[in-house]
Amino acid sequence: MSHIDQHLQANEQVLHRGHLNGAVFISPCLLLLLGFAVLALDGDVGVILLLAGLVGLLSGFIRYKTSEFVVTNKRVILKTGLIRKTTVEIAINKVGGSTVDPGDCEKGF
C-alpha cells in the first residue's frame, strides 16, 4: 500500500495515478553507453563513466519508485522522496486549471 493510500480521507477515491517520466533514465543510460565505448580505448576513464552511469541509474530508479502523483475526488497530492519525504496537497476546488509543457526529450515518452 502506498504512502498516499494510507492517508486518504473518509469517502476519498483515487481518480488517477501518475508517475515520473522515463526520461530520468536517459542521461544515465547514455553515460553507460559512453562508458562501454570508452572502456575499449581507455580503461580508467571507461570505468569511471560506467560507475557514474550506474550511480545515475540507481538515483533515477529511487526517484522513479518514490514519487507518487495522485488526483482524488477531493485533492491533488504529490509525494516525493525516500528519506526526506515531501508532500504537497491542493484541494480540488482550488485548482483552476493546469498546463503540461513537456520538453523536447519528454515528448517521445
Side-chain angles (χ1 to χ4, degrees):
M1 182 175 282
S2 74
H3 175 77
I4 291 177
D5 289 334
Q6 295 172 359
H7 294 91
L8 291 177
Q9 298 172 355
N11 299 323
E12 188 171 21
Q13 300 170 347
V14 174
L15 303 176
H16 182 75
R17 287 185 187 277
H19 53 83
L20 281 180
N21 192 303
V24 298
F25 299 111
I26 291 176
S27 294
C29 287
L30 290 175
L31 269 178
L32 283 174
L33 289 173
L34 184 63
F36 281 121
V38 173
L39 191 62
L41 301 173
D42 185 358
D44 293 339
V45 175
V47 169
I48 291 170
L49 289 172
L50 286 173
L51 288 174
L54 288 174
V55 168
L57 274 179
L58 179 63
S59 172
F61 180 76
I62 290 171
R63 280 191 302 151
Y64 186 83
K65 295 304 271 184
T66 60
S67 298
E68 295 181 76
F69 309 101
V70 174
V71 177
T72 71
N73 58 334
K74 296 183 179 185
R75 303 179 284 173
V76 175
I77 308 167
L78 314 167
K79 195 273 305 173
T80 60
L82 176 64
I83 296 172
R84 187 182 65 179
K85 292 181 181 172
T86 302
T87 304
V88 176
E89 299 179 13
I90 304 169
I92 203 80
N93 60 357
K94 300 287 185 191
V95 178
S98 65
T99 302
V100 177
D101 187 21
D104 292 334
C105 291
E106 295 169 341
K107 289 179 183 176
F109 291 94

